[in-house]
Amino acid sequence: MNQLQQELKRRRTFAIISHPDAGKTTLTEKLLVLGGAIRTAGAVKSRKAEKFATSDWMELEKKRGISVTSSVMQFEYDGYKINILDTPGHQDFSEDTYRTLMAVDSVVMIIDAAKGVEPQTIKLFKVCRDRGIPIFTFINKLDRQGKEPLELFEEIEEVLGIESYPVNYPIGMGQAFRGVYDRQEHKIEWYNEKRERQVQALGEVDELSDILKDTVDDYTLSQLEENLMLLDEAGSSFDLEAVKAGKQTPVFFGSAISSFGVPTFLEHYLKLAPQPQPRQSSEGVVQPDDPNFSGFVFKIQANMNPAHRDRIAFLRICSGKFEKGMSVYLDRTGKQLKLAQPQQFFADSRELIDDAYPGDIVGLYDTGFYQIGDTVCGNKDTFNFGALPQFSPEHFAKVRAKNAMKQKHFLKGVSQLAQEGAIQVYKTQYEETILGVVGTLQFDVFVYRMQAEYGVDLDIEHMPHQVAKWIANRDDAEELRRNSNNLIVADYKDRPVIIFENDFSLRWFQQKHPKIELRDSSHNM
């Protein structure tokens, strides 16, 4: 086996998805603690605490206690190189999450044991299912009273339409929660009074009662034995091929806040999850062990280091070996670029690296070369991995700098934040700036970042409009500008866009102008 194949075998790249407050950031941190990447997890529940979640580097996230950007964290555990892409939990930032899901090989879905499958989880799950991404489920907060495990399995199968296989099963719940029983390894994991992890192997399930009789009440024990018997007789059998195809989800129970069940989950995940996978491109399937280097940019982030006002493009490596200083070709322009100062990340800290392999996420110093969705290739015969999803905005607002003397900083900030893909920017024929966003919280983040990172206070005027459509033919746009009252603007690439107040006004327009072609996004224009 050559070095590239060896490195592939030990790589695992995944994102964590969940509804807000299901425990995504907490689980991320406990995995980092396990990997020795950090000593203590941030107090993510307390917004006023001095310690904040390591994966939430932006001040606004620290103040609100939510994740609004996608972070990248890399660490080693038990010989594996793990890349975690922590995604925004809030639905207003689902576009960023969708793009991040394009860059992973598997997904960990967190479900709150008390609330079950929630709306945002359903939405993100569908994206994973459509792409056939393997999904591993972690049912969290077992140290609180929640739904019965069998009820949760039924919910996963009915609401999400995926078969579930419980790899482990909780011993009690809430105050009676004592640990988990591993159905595959036939062992019990629990924590004693000193919070020390205890693991004990069993010969058969029958031995459970002998081991647990002194620590678990009779009712909990009888329910555990009855449910395990039911799962063995009537439950799904484990099917690794179905897991790889995204048709069966291995389910794990635990409590991220207290680390119950987290080590078991990580150990199983690393054995079962896929290594970096082949990817479809414009020239056919690209194998990760192809020696020709390739990768794509799925995220751009300005001002990760406010002291340096830098801009980083996040590159997912898909094939070949990455080396510092290597020359590559950008498929969109055909131009040759030198990849200097490559970095790997740990939330807000990063270090320069010499090499990286498929599955790894590398940060490239960007002076404006890259756009989201760009493909880079190691030789002149370039190809691309296709466009990343772009959502049509649903909320619009006019923005301007309160202080006219700050106009230069205003234009720079708007331009850089638009290139990140966090907002969409339009210009009217009178040079007014209009923002379009998927969720209103994005306006708050934009206003905050313009002030914090560019020193610009904003006036923001919310608009009643809800729908944006791209006009396929520029001549049609000019004709409409001259002869209609519709709001026609230009996006940041100067492509014509028409903004409607609602679906009714869109339908009215289409009836009046049946020959004008409107598109949902700017792709292929």
Side-chain angles (χ1 to χ4, degrees):
M1 197 185 294
N2 64 33
Q3 187 190 20
L4 179 55
Q5 288 169 327
Q6 282 180 334
E7 292 294 342
L8 276 171
K9 205 170 179 185
R10 70 187 201 97
R11 288 296 186 286
R12 298 291 183 272
T13 302
F14 67 95
I16 301 181
I17 62 169
S18 74
H19 197 83
D21 205 35
K24 178 171 59 63
T25 305
T26 313
L27 179 64
T28 304
E29 296 237 314
K30 289 303 165 76
L31 294 174
L32 296 173
V33 172
L34 272 178
I38 52 175
R39 285 209 183 97
T40 58
V44 293
K45 296 302 288 181
S46 170
R47 294 176 186 179
K48 293 180 181 174
E50 287 182 17
K51 287 185 288 185
F52 297 106
T54 306
S55 57
D56 294 345
W57 56 267
M58 202 185 287
E59 277 303 314
L60 183 67
E61 297 181 288
K62 294 173 182 177
K63 286 178 181 172
R64 292 191 180 221
I66 57 167
S67 300
V68 296
T69 57
S70 297
S71 300
V72 176
M73 285 143 292
Q74 289 150 322
F75 66 97
E76 300 229 1
Y77 180 83
D78 196 23
Y80 290 92
K81 179 78 176 279
I82 301 161
N83 296 279
I84 302 181
L85 280 67
D86 182 31
T87 59
H90 201 285
Q91 64 182 16
D92 284 8
F93 300 88
S94 50
E95 193 170 6
D96 196 17
T97 301
Y98 276 49
R99 290 195 204 107
T100 299
L101 292 177
M102 301 297 118
V104 300
D105 300 299
S106 59
V107 158
V108 173
M109 174 172 68
I110 303 180
I111 292 174
D112 184 320
K115 295 174 182 173
V117 180
E118 296 177 85
Q120 179 71 353
T121 315
I122 298 168
K123 195 174 174 185
L124 295 171
F125 171 83
K126 283 178 179 170
V127 180
C128 301
R129 188 182 58 196
D130 290 347
R131 282 198 59 221
I133 303 175
I135 296 163
F136 295 78
T137 301
F138 185 85
I139 295 179
N140 192 24
K141 304 186 182 180
L142 261 291
D143 48 355
R144 301 182 193 177
Q145 206 58 40
K147 296 181 179 183
E148 286 299 318
L150 296 179
E151 188 185 341
L152 288 163
F153 301 144
E154 197 176 323
E155 202 172 308
I156 289 169
E157 300 199 358
E158 285 183 6
V159 177
L160 299 178
I162 188 172
E163 188 175 88
S164 64
Y165 175 83
V167 176
N168 64 23
Y169 199 87
I171 301 167
M173 186 183 287
Q175 293 291 318
F177 182 53
R178 293 293 175 266
V180 290
Y181 169 65
D182 189 324
R183 294 178 65 220
Q184 283 195 328
E185 304 277 338
H186 299 295
K187 60 186 182 186
I188 303 170
E189 177 187 344
W190 78 88
Y191 288 79
N192 62 21
E193 297 78 19
K194 296 179 182 175
R195 315 296 295 159
E196 294 166 333
R197 183 186 179 216
Q198 306 281 306
V199 178
Q200 184 159 350
L202 309 179
E204 293 295 330
V205 178
D206 303 348
E207 295 176 27
L208 267 174
S209 53
D210 294 336
I211 295 168
L212 295 175
K213 63 186 179 189
D214 296 329
T215 52
V216 176
D217 62 82
D218 291 345
Y219 174 76
T220 301
L221 191 55
S222 65
Q223 281 290 102
L224 174 66
E225 289 177 323
E226 192 178 310
N227 290 344
L228 286 173
M229 197 180 301
L230 187 65
L231 285 172
D232 286 342
E233 290 175 5
S236 309
S237 54
F238 182 71
D239 183 346
L240 186 56
E241 289 309 307
V243 171
K244 287 178 179 175
K247 293 179 178 174
Q248 185 185 79
T249 178
V251 179
F252 301 83
F253 289 87
S255 164
I257 200 83
S258 64
S259 289
F260 262 79
V262 177
T264 305
F265 161 71
L266 181 58
E267 285 154 19
H268 277 287
Y269 168 80
L270 293 172
K271 288 176 195 165
L272 300 175
Q275 63 185 50
Q277 293 294 290
R279 290 194 168 250
Q280 191 65 44
S281 80
S282 57
E283 296 296 316
V285 175
V286 175
Q287 296 294 338
D289 59 356
D290 186 327
N292 293 317
F293 174 79
S294 70
F296 66 93
V297 174
F298 67 93
K299 176 182 172 65
I300 292 172
Q301 186 78 55
N303 304 323
M304 282 193 74
N305 184 341
H308 296 136
R309 289 278 177 258
D310 62 350
R311 194 174 113 127
I312 299 293
F314 289 77
L315 182 83
R316 153 74 196 228
I317 301 173
C318 299
S319 67
K321 181 182 178 182
F322 175 94
E323 293 177 317
K324 184 172 76 173
M326 73 187 296
S327 292
V328 297
Y329 293 86
L330 187 59
D331 175 68
R332 177 172 46 84
T333 63
K335 288 184 178 175
Q336 190 175 25
L337 300 170
K338 195 168 186 177
L339 302 184
Q341 294 182 287
Q343 300 164 8
Q344 283 191 329
F345 295 88
F346 176 66
D348 59 348
S349 62
R350 42 192 153 142
E351 58 182 36
L352 291 174
I353 55 158
D354 293 321
D355 53 37
Y357 293 89
D360 287 342
I361 311 298
V362 175
L364 302 175
Y365 182 69
D366 180 23
T367 55
F369 284 126
Y370 301 105
Q371 293 178 14
I372 287 170
D374 274 350
T375 298
V376 295
C377 303
N379 55 40
K380 280 185 177 178
D381 300 325
T382 63
F383 53 82
N384 66 75
F385 289 108
L388 293 185
Q390 181 186 35
F391 287 20
S392 184
E394 297 170 21
H395 307 275
F396 298 86
K398 286 183 182 177
V399 291
R400 57 188 162 270
K402 280 186 178 177
N403 182 349
M405 302 293 285
K406 293 274 189 177
Q407 187 66 9
K408 188 177 175 184
H409 292 87
F410 170 76
L411 293 173
K412 182 183 178 185
V414 168
S415 169
Q416 290 194 344
L417 296 182
Q419 286 163 352
E420 284 186 16
I423 51 163
Q424 293 184 38
V425 177
Y426 310 97
K427 280 276 194 293
T428 69
Q429 59 186 345
Y430 307 111
E431 290 299 305
E432 295 172 300
T433 299
I434 293 177
L435 299 187
V437 298
V438 176
T440 54
L441 187 55
Q442 288 173 283
F443 284 134
D444 296 347
V445 172
F446 178 79
V447 169
Y448 177 87
R449 291 187 65 188
M450 285 293 288
Q451 204 287 320
E453 296 171 20
Y454 300 94
V456 180
D457 290 316
L458 297 178
D459 279 326
I460 185 161
E461 179 190 333
H462 293 276
M463 299 164 64
H465 300 71
Q466 296 173 359
V467 183
K469 296 287 180 184
W470 276 255
I471 303 170
N473 189 321
R474 286 180 183 271
D475 292 339
D476 288 339
E478 290 308 314
E479 181 67 26
L480 287 168
R481 273 199 181 96
R482 287 193 298 270
N483 300 310
S484 81
N485 294 321
N486 293 102
L487 178 56
I488 296 167
V489 296
D491 70 7
Y492 77 103
K493 287 189 177 177
D494 204 35
R495 293 168 297 206
V497 180
I498 184 164
I499 302 178
F500 299 97
E501 286 203 9
N502 49 41
D503 286 330
F504 174 79
S505 57
L506 167 61
R507 287 194 299 274
W508 177 260
F509 175 88
Q510 288 171 319
Q511 285 170 8
K512 284 183 69 179
H513 305 278
K515 291 183 180 178
I516 293 180
E517 185 187 348
L518 299 179
R519 295 183 181 172
D520 291 333
S521 80
S522 57
H523 290 323
N524 304 319
M525 284 183 64

mmCIF file of all heavy atoms in Angstrom, residues 251-272:
data_model
loop_
_atom_site.group_PDB
_atom_site.id
_atom_site.type_symbol
_atom_site.label_atom_id
_atom_site.label_comp_id
_atom_site.label_asym_id
_atom_site.label_seq_id
_atom_site.Cartn_x
_atom_site.Cartn_y
_atom_site.Cartn_z
ATOM 1 N N VAL A 251 -27.332 3.915 15.624
ATOM 2 C CA VAL A 251 -27.791 4.843 16.660
ATOM 3 C C VAL A 251 -27.018 4.610 17.958
ATOM 4 O O VAL A 251 -26.807 3.463 18.374
ATOM 5 C CB VAL A 251 -29.308 4.666 16.921
ATOM 6 C CG1 VAL A 251 -29.787 5.621 18.013
ATOM 7 C CG2 VAL A 251 -30.097 4.902 15.645
ATOM 8 N N PHE A 252 -26.607 5.710 18.580
ATOM 9 C CA PHE A 252 -25.855 5.674 19.844
ATOM 10 C C PHE A 252 -26.566 6.566 20.851
ATOM 11 O O PHE A 252 -27.133 7.594 20.486
ATOM 12 C CB PHE A 252 -24.431 6.191 19.627
ATOM 13 C CG PHE A 252 -23.650 5.409 18.608
ATOM 14 C CD1 PHE A 252 -23.788 5.679 17.252
ATOM 15 C CD2 PHE A 252 -22.786 4.398 18.990
ATOM 16 C CE1 PHE A 252 -23.081 4.957 16.300
ATOM 17 C CE2 PHE A 252 -22.070 3.675 18.046
ATOM 18 C CZ PHE A 252 -22.223 3.955 16.703
ATOM 19 N N PHE A 253 -26.505 6.184 22.115
ATOM 20 C CA PHE A 253 -27.106 6.979 23.181
ATOM 21 C C PHE A 253 -26.009 7.527 24.082
ATOM 22 O O PHE A 253 -24.951 6.912 24.242
ATOM 23 C CB PHE A 253 -28.054 6.118 24.024
ATOM 24 C CG PHE A 253 -29.321 5.743 23.321
ATOM 25 C CD1 PHE A 253 -29.378 4.608 22.518
ATOM 26 C CD2 PHE A 253 -30.458 6.523 23.459
ATOM 27 C CE1 PHE A 253 -30.555 4.257 21.867
ATOM 28 C CE2 PHE A 253 -31.639 6.175 22.812
ATOM 29 C CZ PHE A 253 -31.680 5.046 22.013
ATOM 30 N N GLY A 254 -26.300 8.675 24.697
ATOM 31 C CA GLY A 254 -25.336 9.221 25.644
ATOM 32 C C GLY A 254 -25.730 10.600 26.114
ATOM 33 O O GLY A 254 -26.826 11.098 25.850
ATOM 34 N N SER A 255 -24.803 11.219 26.823
ATOM 35 C CA SER A 255 -24.978 12.594 27.285
ATOM 36 C C SER A 255 -23.682 13.332 27.009
ATOM 37 O O SER A 255 -22.660 13.073 27.645
ATOM 38 C CB SER A 255 -25.296 12.623 28.784
ATOM 39 O OG SER A 255 -25.098 13.929 29.282
ATOM 40 N N ALA A 256 -23.728 14.247 26.034
ATOM 41 C CA ALA A 256 -22.505 14.956 25.647
ATOM 42 C C ALA A 256 -21.971 15.799 26.795
ATOM 43 O O ALA A 256 -20.763 15.873 27.011
ATOM 44 C CB ALA A 256 -22.776 15.836 24.424
ATOM 45 N N ILE A 257 -22.877 16.423 27.558
ATOM 46 C CA ILE A 257 -22.432 17.346 28.610
ATOM 47 C C ILE A 257 -21.620 16.615 29.684
ATOM 48 O O ILE A 257 -20.693 17.151 30.261
ATOM 49 C CB ILE A 257 -23.632 18.119 29.231
ATOM 50 C CG1 ILE A 257 -23.169 19.391 29.937
ATOM 51 C CG2 ILE A 257 -24.467 17.269 30.144
ATOM 52 C CD1 ILE A 257 -22.970 20.564 29.030
ATOM 53 N N SER A 258 -21.963 15.329 29.946
ATOM 54 C CA SER A 258 -21.231 14.579 30.979
ATOM 55 C C SER A 258 -20.287 13.533 30.383
ATOM 56 O O SER A 258 -19.657 12.780 31.117
ATOM 57 C CB SER A 258 -22.220 13.896 31.927
ATOM 58 O OG SER A 258 -22.968 12.938 31.205
ATOM 59 N N SER A 259 -20.217 13.483 29.040
ATOM 60 C CA SER A 259 -19.360 12.535 28.304
ATOM 61 C C SER A 259 -19.857 11.091 28.326
ATOM 62 O O SER A 259 -19.182 10.208 27.813
ATOM 63 C CB SER A 259 -17.905 12.578 28.793
ATOM 64 O OG SER A 259 -17.310 13.772 28.378
ATOM 65 N N PHE A 260 -21.019 10.827 28.905
ATOM 66 C CA PHE A 260 -21.571 9.469 28.899
ATOM 67 C C PHE A 260 -21.723 8.982 27.454
ATOM 68 O O PHE A 260 -22.377 9.638 26.644
ATOM 69 C CB PHE A 260 -22.966 9.469 29.533
ATOM 70 C CG PHE A 260 -22.983 9.052 30.969
ATOM 71 C CD1 PHE A 260 -22.616 9.939 31.960
ATOM 72 C CD2 PHE A 260 -23.369 7.775 31.341
ATOM 73 C CE1 PHE A 260 -22.639 9.573 33.291
ATOM 74 C CE2 PHE A 260 -23.403 7.403 32.677
ATOM 75 C CZ PHE A 260 -23.026 8.301 33.649
ATOM 76 N N GLY A 261 -21.149 7.859 27.133
ATOM 77 C CA GLY A 261 -21.371 7.251 25.821
ATOM 78 C C GLY A 261 -20.565 7.860 24.684
ATOM 79 O O GLY A 261 -20.589 7.345 23.567
ATOM 80 N N VAL A 262 -19.851 8.962 24.941
ATOM 81 C CA VAL A 262 -19.112 9.631 23.859
ATOM 82 C C VAL A 262 -17.903 8.804 23.395
ATOM 83 O O VAL A 262 -17.697 8.636 22.187
ATOM 84 C CB VAL A 262 -18.706 11.071 24.263
ATOM 85 C CG1 VAL A 262 -17.878 11.737 23.162
ATOM 86 C CG2 VAL A 262 -19.954 11.908 24.546
ATOM 87 N N PRO A 263 -17.092 8.237 24.315
ATOM 88 C CA PRO A 263 -15.954 7.421 23.852
ATOM 89 C C PRO A 263 -16.404 6.221 23.013
ATOM 90 O O PRO A 263 -15.820 5.924 21.969
ATOM 91 C CB PRO A 263 -15.272 6.967 25.153
ATOM 92 C CG PRO A 263 -15.692 7.973 26.173
ATOM 93 C CD PRO A 263 -17.081 8.373 25.786
ATOM 94 N N THR A 264 -17.468 5.535 23.470
ATOM 95 C CA THR A 264 -17.996 4.389 22.723
ATOM 96 C C THR A 264 -18.419 4.818 21.325
ATOM 97 O O THR A 264 -18.127 4.146 20.336
ATOM 98 C CB THR A 264 -19.229 3.797 23.442
ATOM 99 O OG1 THR A 264 -18.864 3.474 24.768
ATOM 100 C CG2 THR A 264 -19.739 2.559 22.740
ATOM 101 N N PHE A 265 -19.129 5.938 21.275
ATOM 102 C CA PHE A 265 -19.595 6.438 19.986
ATOM 103 C C PHE A 265 -18.410 6.687 19.044
ATOM 104 O O PHE A 265 -18.415 6.242 17.900
ATOM 105 C CB PHE A 265 -20.398 7.730 20.174
ATOM 106 C CG PHE A 265 -20.508 8.524 18.910
ATOM 107 C CD1 PHE A 265 -21.303 8.077 17.859
ATOM 108 C CD2 PHE A 265 -19.775 9.694 18.734
ATOM 109 C CE1 PHE A 265 -21.370 8.777 16.672
ATOM 110 C CE2 PHE A 265 -19.837 10.396 17.549
ATOM 111 C CZ PHE A 265 -20.640 9.938 16.516
ATOM 112 N N LEU A 266 -17.386 7.392 19.525
ATOM 113 C CA LEU A 266 -16.246 7.735 18.662
ATOM 114 C C LEU A 266 -15.525 6.483 18.176
ATOM 115 O O LEU A 266 -15.177 6.374 16.989
ATOM 116 C CB LEU A 266 -15.280 8.667 19.412
ATOM 117 C CG LEU A 266 -14.056 9.124 18.607
ATOM 118 C CD1 LEU A 266 -14.464 9.853 17.335
ATOM 119 C CD2 LEU A 266 -13.140 10.003 19.449
ATOM 120 N N GLU A 267 -15.328 5.517 19.062
ATOM 121 C CA GLU A 267 -14.610 4.297 18.673
ATOM 122 C C GLU A 267 -15.374 3.530 17.588
ATOM 123 O O GLU A 267 -14.792 3.060 16.609
ATOM 124 C CB GLU A 267 -14.362 3.419 19.906
ATOM 125 C CG GLU A 267 -13.240 3.982 20.787
ATOM 126 C CD GLU A 267 -13.348 3.572 22.257
ATOM 127 O OE1 GLU A 267 -14.064 2.583 22.535
ATOM 128 O OE2 GLU A 267 -12.750 4.254 23.106
ATOM 129 N N HIS A 268 -16.688 3.408 17.747
ATOM 130 C CA HIS A 268 -17.500 2.729 16.733
ATOM 131 C C HIS A 268 -17.514 3.522 15.425
ATOM 132 O O HIS A 268 -17.413 2.957 14.345
ATOM 133 C CB HIS A 268 -18.941 2.537 17.226
ATOM 134 C CG HIS A 268 -19.115 1.328 18.086
ATOM 135 N ND1 HIS A 268 -19.100 0.046 17.573
ATOM 136 C CD2 HIS A 268 -19.317 1.202 19.417
ATOM 137 C CE1 HIS A 268 -19.283 -0.814 18.558
ATOM 138 N NE2 HIS A 268 -19.416 -0.145 19.685
ATOM 139 N N TYR A 269 -17.700 4.837 15.562
ATOM 140 C CA TYR A 269 -17.773 5.678 14.363
ATOM 141 C C TYR A 269 -16.521 5.516 13.501
ATOM 142 O O TYR A 269 -16.612 5.342 12.276
ATOM 143 C CB TYR A 269 -17.959 7.160 14.752
ATOM 144 C CG TYR A 269 -17.743 8.064 13.562
ATOM 145 C CD1 TYR A 269 -18.749 8.254 12.619
ATOM 146 C CD2 TYR A 269 -16.505 8.666 13.334
ATOM 147 C CE1 TYR A 269 -18.533 9.027 11.487
ATOM 148 C CE2 TYR A 269 -16.273 9.437 12.206
ATOM 149 C CZ TYR A 269 -17.299 9.607 11.284
ATOM 150 O OH TYR A 269 -17.069 10.357 10.155
ATOM 151 N N LEU A 270 -15.347 5.548 14.127
ATOM 152 C CA LEU A 270 -14.094 5.473 13.373
ATOM 153 C C LEU A 270 -13.959 4.150 12.619
ATOM 154 O O LEU A 270 -13.415 4.105 11.514
ATOM 155 C CB LEU A 270 -12.895 5.685 14.307
ATOM 156 C CG LEU A 270 -12.785 7.102 14.892
ATOM 157 C CD1 LEU A 270 -11.695 7.159 15.957
ATOM 158 C CD2 LEU A 270 -12.528 8.142 13.816
ATOM 159 N N LYS A 271 -14.503 3.071 13.204
ATOM 160 C CA LYS A 271 -14.430 1.762 12.528
ATOM 161 C C LYS A 271 -15.441 1.668 11.386
ATOM 162 O O LYS A 271 -15.187 1.026 10.369
ATOM 163 C CB LYS A 271 -14.714 0.641 13.542
ATOM 164 C CG LYS A 271 -13.586 0.416 14.536
ATOM 165 C CD LYS A 271 -14.017 -0.633 15.544
ATOM 166 C CE LYS A 271 -13.103 -0.627 16.765
ATOM 167 N NZ LYS A 271 -13.699 -1.363 17.891
ATOM 168 N N LEU A 272 -16.600 2.280 11.556
ATOM 169 C CA LEU A 272 -17.700 2.094 10.605
ATOM 170 C C LEU A 272 -17.759 3.153 9.508
ATOM 171 O O LEU A 272 -18.233 2.889 8.403
ATOM 172 C CB LEU A 272 -19.042 2.102 11.352
ATOM 173 C CG LEU A 272 -19.248 1.029 12.418
ATOM 174 C CD1 LEU A 272 -20.571 1.267 13.149
ATOM 175 C CD2 LEU A 272 -19.232 -0.368 11.794
#
